[in-house]
Amino acid sequence: MVAAAVRCDPAVLPADVDDSKQVAPDRREAIAAELRDRDDVGVGVGIVEPAEIDDPETDMNSLTVMAQARAIASVVGAGNADSVDDGVPEAVVDAGDVSESRFGRRVADAVTDRVARDVPVDAEHGADETYPTVSAASIVAKVERDARVAAIDGEYPEYDVGSGYPSDPTTRGFLEAYVAATGEIPDCARRSWSTCEQVLAEAEQSGLDEF
């Protein structure tokens, strides 16, 4: 899971910044590179690893809070974005909970735990379509995710990993082929992912059928 935070004056953002799903891949990469190169823009990324997602003690809302908080904390803690007031910033996040206020409080608490300072957090549904800085963050997160999936693909040269999304038949084909060859889920995959559970169950049933 990848989240990102962008801290800057919205006026300095490219005019075509939008929800990452609305921006072409090449343009997403160009925007992300431009943002990272600017001294007046702070960029942070929060990563939640597969093992953390597989933790039976957590849930998807908590994982989303974790990713958002790590991204925000990395920007606040770095003290970058020279043109931004050095005072406590206010963060706006895309709400990952039916309750916007609850999600905002949880992210704010998690950020405080990481940077030892209070950062107000406003959570709204569809914030990546409304606030240019959140749109920019969604672009950075998407580019980071794509780069990580490409790196994973390079670790499995005999397979085509695909996009890594559960709806991608190429990704499912990769999992099926890997399980058929090794009997295990690859380290890059979330074992609690229903797609992985299905692939393992189907492989086990196929083995029983052959027996």
Side-chain angles (χ1 to χ4, degrees):
M1 180 183 293
V2 181
V6 170
R7 184 185 182 193
C8 67
D9 180 344
V12 308
L13 295 172
D16 59 342
V17 161
D18 200 348
D19 171 19
S20 63
K21 297 184 291 296
Q22 306 303 320
V23 182
D26 289 349
R27 183 56 185 150
R28 286 197 300 257
E29 293 181 6
I31 290 173
E34 177 183 343
L35 295 177
R36 289 182 178 278
D37 286 343
R38 295 189 61 138
D39 293 334
D40 56 353
V41 177
V43 174
V45 172
I47 306 296
V48 178
E49 300 292 348
E52 294 177 298
I53 297 174
D54 286 336
D55 184 346
E57 299 299 319
T58 193
D59 56 73
M60 191 53 63
N61 277 353
S62 297
L63 293 167
T64 305
V65 167
M66 185 187 301
Q68 296 278 17
R70 287 175 178 176
I72 294 170
S74 68
V75 172
V76 173
N80 51 2
D82 294 339
S83 71
V84 179
D85 184 354
D86 287 336
V88 177
E90 180 178 5
V92 179
V93 300
D94 191 25
D97 188 340
V98 293
S99 171
E100 295 171 326
S101 59
R102 178 173 57 199
F103 188 79
R105 287 195 303 271
R106 293 185 68 191
V107 174
D109 289 344
V111 173
T112 298
D113 287 344
R114 299 184 71 84
V115 300
R117 60 189 294 194
D118 291 333
V119 177
V121 176
D122 178 25
E124 295 185 21
H125 295 129
D128 52 355
E129 300 173 357
T130 306
Y131 296 90
T133 50
V134 184
S135 298
S138 75
I139 289 172
V140 172
K142 174 63 174 168
V143 170
E144 179 72 20
R145 183 196 180 279
D146 288 349
R148 286 173 174 265
V149 171
I152 290 170
D153 188 63
E155 296 173 2
Y156 299 89
E158 65 272 41
Y159 301 97
D160 184 353
V161 170
S163 67
Y165 291 115
S167 60
D168 186 351
T170 301
T171 296
R172 186 179 179 92
F174 157 61
L175 293 172
E176 290 172 344
Y178 190 90
V179 169
T182 67
E184 300 287 343
I185 292 293
D187 290 339
C188 62
R190 310 187 315 246
R191 284 164 172 74
S192 58
W193 192 17
S194 61
T195 303
C196 289
E197 293 175 348
Q198 292 168 8
V199 168
L200 284 172
E202 290 168 2
E204 181 179 355
Q205 185 60 50
S206 176
L208 291 174
D209 292 342
E210 291 175 2
F211 180 80

mmCIF file of all heavy atoms in Angstrom, residues 147-170:
data_model
loop_
_atom_site.group_PDB
_atom_site.id
_atom_site.type_symbol
_atom_site.label_atom_id
_atom_site.label_comp_id
_atom_site.label_asym_id
_atom_site.label_seq_id
_atom_site.Cartn_x
_atom_site.Cartn_y
_atom_site.Cartn_z
ATOM 1 N N ALA A 147 6.274 2.196 -9.920
ATOM 2 C CA ALA A 147 7.710 1.929 -9.924
ATOM 3 C C ALA A 147 8.037 0.694 -9.078
ATOM 4 O O ALA A 147 8.890 -0.122 -9.445
ATOM 5 C CB ALA A 147 8.471 3.146 -9.403
ATOM 6 N N ARG A 148 7.343 0.566 -7.960
ATOM 7 C CA ARG A 148 7.576 -0.591 -7.097
ATOM 8 C C ARG A 148 7.098 -1.889 -7.746
ATOM 9 O O ARG A 148 7.737 -2.933 -7.614
ATOM 10 C CB ARG A 148 6.910 -0.378 -5.736
ATOM 11 C CG ARG A 148 7.654 0.620 -4.868
ATOM 12 C CD ARG A 148 6.924 0.965 -3.591
ATOM 13 N NE ARG A 148 7.760 1.808 -2.743
ATOM 14 C CZ ARG A 148 8.545 1.375 -1.766
ATOM 15 N NH1 ARG A 148 8.560 0.082 -1.467
ATOM 16 N NH2 ARG A 148 9.287 2.200 -1.065
ATOM 17 N N VAL A 149 5.975 -1.822 -8.448
ATOM 18 C CA VAL A 149 5.486 -3.016 -9.147
ATOM 19 C C VAL A 149 6.455 -3.389 -10.266
ATOM 20 O O VAL A 149 6.732 -4.577 -10.498
ATOM 21 C CB VAL A 149 4.068 -2.783 -9.694
ATOM 22 C CG1 VAL A 149 3.647 -3.930 -10.613
ATOM 23 C CG2 VAL A 149 3.065 -2.649 -8.545
ATOM 24 N N ALA A 150 6.993 -2.382 -10.962
ATOM 25 C CA ALA A 150 7.972 -2.658 -12.021
ATOM 26 C C ALA A 150 9.221 -3.327 -11.440
ATOM 27 O O ALA A 150 9.795 -4.243 -12.049
ATOM 28 C CB ALA A 150 8.348 -1.366 -12.738
ATOM 29 N N ALA A 151 9.639 -2.869 -10.258
ATOM 30 C CA ALA A 151 10.799 -3.487 -9.610
ATOM 31 C C ALA A 151 10.501 -4.935 -9.219
ATOM 32 O O ALA A 151 11.359 -5.819 -9.370
ATOM 33 C CB ALA A 151 11.200 -2.670 -8.381
ATOM 34 N N ILE A 152 9.291 -5.172 -8.727
ATOM 35 C CA ILE A 152 8.887 -6.539 -8.390
ATOM 36 C C ILE A 152 8.892 -7.418 -9.636
ATOM 37 O O ILE A 152 9.359 -8.558 -9.613
ATOM 38 C CB ILE A 152 7.495 -6.544 -7.727
ATOM 39 C CG1 ILE A 152 7.572 -5.926 -6.328
ATOM 40 C CG2 ILE A 152 6.926 -7.969 -7.647
ATOM 41 C CD1 ILE A 152 6.222 -5.682 -5.701
ATOM 42 N N ASP A 153 8.389 -6.876 -10.730
ATOM 43 C CA ASP A 153 8.372 -7.629 -11.989
ATOM 44 C C ASP A 153 9.789 -8.044 -12.382
ATOM 45 O O ASP A 153 10.002 -9.158 -12.884
ATOM 46 C CB ASP A 153 7.735 -6.767 -13.082
ATOM 47 C CG ASP A 153 7.504 -7.546 -14.366
ATOM 48 O OD1 ASP A 153 6.713 -8.514 -14.349
ATOM 49 O OD2 ASP A 153 8.125 -7.200 -15.393
ATOM 50 N N GLY A 154 10.753 -7.146 -12.136
ATOM 51 C CA GLY A 154 12.138 -7.464 -12.454
ATOM 52 C C GLY A 154 12.712 -8.567 -11.596
ATOM 53 O O GLY A 154 13.686 -9.227 -11.989
ATOM 54 N N GLU A 155 12.128 -8.787 -10.414
ATOM 55 C CA GLU A 155 12.595 -9.854 -9.525
ATOM 56 C C GLU A 155 12.094 -11.232 -9.957
ATOM 57 O O GLU A 155 12.567 -12.247 -9.443
ATOM 58 C CB GLU A 155 12.141 -9.568 -8.093
ATOM 59 C CG GLU A 155 12.755 -8.304 -7.502
ATOM 60 C CD GLU A 155 12.156 -7.954 -6.150
ATOM 61 O OE1 GLU A 155 11.294 -8.727 -5.672
ATOM 62 O OE2 GLU A 155 12.545 -6.923 -5.586
ATOM 63 N N TYR A 156 11.113 -11.254 -10.862
ATOM 64 C CA TYR A 156 10.538 -12.510 -11.341
ATOM 65 C C TYR A 156 10.603 -12.531 -12.866
ATOM 66 O O TYR A 156 9.580 -12.457 -13.552
ATOM 67 C CB TYR A 156 9.086 -12.648 -10.867
ATOM 68 C CG TYR A 156 8.928 -12.661 -9.367
ATOM 69 C CD1 TYR A 156 8.769 -11.482 -8.652
ATOM 70 C CD2 TYR A 156 8.945 -13.862 -8.652
ATOM 71 C CE1 TYR A 156 8.634 -11.491 -7.261
ATOM 72 C CE2 TYR A 156 8.812 -13.877 -7.274
ATOM 73 C CZ TYR A 156 8.656 -12.684 -6.588
ATOM 74 O OH TYR A 156 8.526 -12.701 -5.223
ATOM 75 N N PRO A 157 11.824 -12.617 -13.427
ATOM 76 C CA PRO A 157 11.993 -12.480 -14.876
ATOM 77 C C PRO A 157 11.285 -13.552 -15.702
ATOM 78 O O PRO A 157 10.997 -13.337 -16.883
ATOM 79 C CB PRO A 157 13.514 -12.550 -15.062
ATOM 80 C CG PRO A 157 14.018 -13.262 -13.838
ATOM 81 C CD PRO A 157 13.104 -12.850 -12.738
ATOM 82 N N GLU A 158 10.987 -14.675 -15.080
ATOM 83 C CA GLU A 158 10.324 -15.758 -15.829
ATOM 84 C C GLU A 158 8.808 -15.598 -15.848
ATOM 85 O O GLU A 158 8.104 -16.416 -16.449
ATOM 86 C CB GLU A 158 10.703 -17.119 -15.243
ATOM 87 C CG GLU A 158 10.228 -17.364 -13.819
ATOM 88 C CD GLU A 158 11.201 -16.879 -12.762
ATOM 89 O OE1 GLU A 158 11.783 -15.793 -12.920
ATOM 90 O OE2 GLU A 158 11.381 -17.610 -11.773
ATOM 91 N N TYR A 159 8.300 -14.553 -15.197
ATOM 92 C CA TYR A 159 6.860 -14.324 -15.139
ATOM 93 C C TYR A 159 6.540 -12.903 -15.580
ATOM 94 O O TYR A 159 7.415 -12.037 -15.634
ATOM 95 C CB TYR A 159 6.331 -14.515 -13.706
ATOM 96 C CG TYR A 159 6.574 -15.870 -13.110
ATOM 97 C CD1 TYR A 159 7.673 -16.088 -12.267
ATOM 98 C CD2 TYR A 159 5.721 -16.936 -13.375
ATOM 99 C CE1 TYR A 159 7.893 -17.336 -11.700
ATOM 100 C CE2 TYR A 159 5.936 -18.180 -12.811
ATOM 101 C CZ TYR A 159 7.026 -18.383 -11.975
ATOM 102 O OH TYR A 159 7.240 -19.614 -11.423
ATOM 103 N N ASP A 160 5.258 -12.663 -15.848
ATOM 104 C CA ASP A 160 4.737 -11.321 -16.072
ATOM 105 C C ASP A 160 3.839 -10.998 -14.886
ATOM 106 O O ASP A 160 2.772 -11.580 -14.734
ATOM 107 C CB ASP A 160 3.942 -11.258 -17.391
ATOM 108 C CG ASP A 160 3.466 -9.853 -17.721
ATOM 109 O OD1 ASP A 160 3.633 -8.948 -16.874
ATOM 110 O OD2 ASP A 160 2.917 -9.649 -18.830
ATOM 111 N N VAL A 161 4.302 -10.093 -14.028
ATOM 112 C CA VAL A 161 3.574 -9.790 -12.791
ATOM 113 C C VAL A 161 2.295 -9.002 -13.057
ATOM 114 O O VAL A 161 1.332 -9.093 -12.299
ATOM 115 C CB VAL A 161 4.505 -9.018 -11.829
ATOM 116 C CG1 VAL A 161 3.729 -8.468 -10.638
ATOM 117 C CG2 VAL A 161 5.637 -9.928 -11.354
ATOM 118 N N GLY A 162 2.270 -8.236 -14.137
ATOM 119 C CA GLY A 162 1.099 -7.418 -14.424
ATOM 120 C C GLY A 162 1.055 -6.178 -13.551
ATOM 121 O O GLY A 162 2.071 -5.727 -13.018
ATOM 122 N N SER A 163 -0.129 -5.629 -13.341
ATOM 123 C CA SER A 163 -0.282 -4.374 -12.599
ATOM 124 C C SER A 163 -0.294 -4.567 -11.084
ATOM 125 O O SER A 163 -0.135 -3.608 -10.335
ATOM 126 C CB SER A 163 -1.585 -3.689 -13.012
ATOM 127 O OG SER A 163 -2.705 -4.455 -12.581
ATOM 128 N N GLY A 164 -0.535 -5.800 -10.637
ATOM 129 C CA GLY A 164 -0.636 -6.042 -9.201
ATOM 130 C C GLY A 164 -2.026 -5.838 -8.640
ATOM 131 O O GLY A 164 -2.256 -6.067 -7.452
ATOM 132 N N TYR A 165 -2.960 -5.427 -9.471
ATOM 133 C CA TYR A 165 -4.338 -5.231 -9.011
ATOM 134 C C TYR A 165 -5.123 -6.548 -9.120
ATOM 135 O O TYR A 165 -4.894 -7.334 -10.057
ATOM 136 C CB TYR A 165 -5.037 -4.158 -9.838
ATOM 137 C CG TYR A 165 -4.505 -2.763 -9.611
ATOM 138 C CD1 TYR A 165 -3.863 -2.067 -10.629
ATOM 139 C CD2 TYR A 165 -4.650 -2.147 -8.373
ATOM 140 C CE1 TYR A 165 -3.373 -0.784 -10.418
ATOM 141 C CE2 TYR A 165 -4.160 -0.861 -8.160
ATOM 142 C CZ TYR A 165 -3.525 -0.188 -9.189
ATOM 143 O OH TYR A 165 -3.038 1.087 -8.974
ATOM 144 N N PRO A 166 -6.051 -6.803 -8.191
ATOM 145 C CA PRO A 166 -6.787 -8.077 -8.203
ATOM 146 C C PRO A 166 -7.640 -8.274 -9.449
ATOM 147 O O PRO A 166 -7.953 -9.410 -9.807
ATOM 148 C CB PRO A 166 -7.654 -8.005 -6.941
ATOM 149 C CG PRO A 166 -7.736 -6.553 -6.608
ATOM 150 C CD PRO A 166 -6.429 -5.964 -7.046
ATOM 151 N N SER A 167 -8.007 -7.172 -10.107
ATOM 152 C CA SER A 167 -8.833 -7.286 -11.316
ATOM 153 C C SER A 167 -8.015 -7.605 -12.563
ATOM 154 O O SER A 167 -8.583 -7.861 -13.625
ATOM 155 C CB SER A 167 -9.605 -5.979 -11.547
ATOM 156 O OG SER A 167 -8.699 -4.886 -11.701
ATOM 157 N N ASP A 168 -6.691 -7.615 -12.431
ATOM 158 C CA ASP A 168 -5.806 -7.831 -13.582
ATOM 159 C C ASP A 168 -5.604 -9.328 -13.805
ATOM 160 O O ASP A 168 -4.991 -10.001 -12.975
ATOM 161 C CB ASP A 168 -4.469 -7.143 -13.326
ATOM 162 C CG ASP A 168 -3.539 -7.197 -14.532
ATOM 163 O OD1 ASP A 168 -3.867 -7.906 -15.508
ATOM 164 O OD2 ASP A 168 -2.486 -6.537 -14.483
ATOM 165 N N PRO A 169 -6.075 -9.866 -14.938
ATOM 166 C CA PRO A 169 -5.889 -11.301 -15.179
ATOM 167 C C PRO A 169 -4.418 -11.695 -15.306
ATOM 168 O O PRO A 169 -4.058 -12.847 -15.021
ATOM 169 C CB PRO A 169 -6.651 -11.540 -16.490
ATOM 170 C CG PRO A 169 -6.790 -10.200 -17.129
ATOM 171 C CD PRO A 169 -6.851 -9.210 -16.005
ATOM 172 N N THR A 170 -3.570 -10.759 -15.718
ATOM 173 C CA THR A 170 -2.138 -11.064 -15.802
ATOM 174 C C THR A 170 -1.555 -11.303 -14.418
ATOM 175 O O THR A 170 -0.759 -12.224 -14.213
ATOM 176 C CB THR A 170 -1.386 -9.917 -16.501
ATOM 177 O OG1 THR A 170 -1.912 -9.726 -17.811
ATOM 178 C CG2 THR A 170 0.102 -10.232 -16.608
#
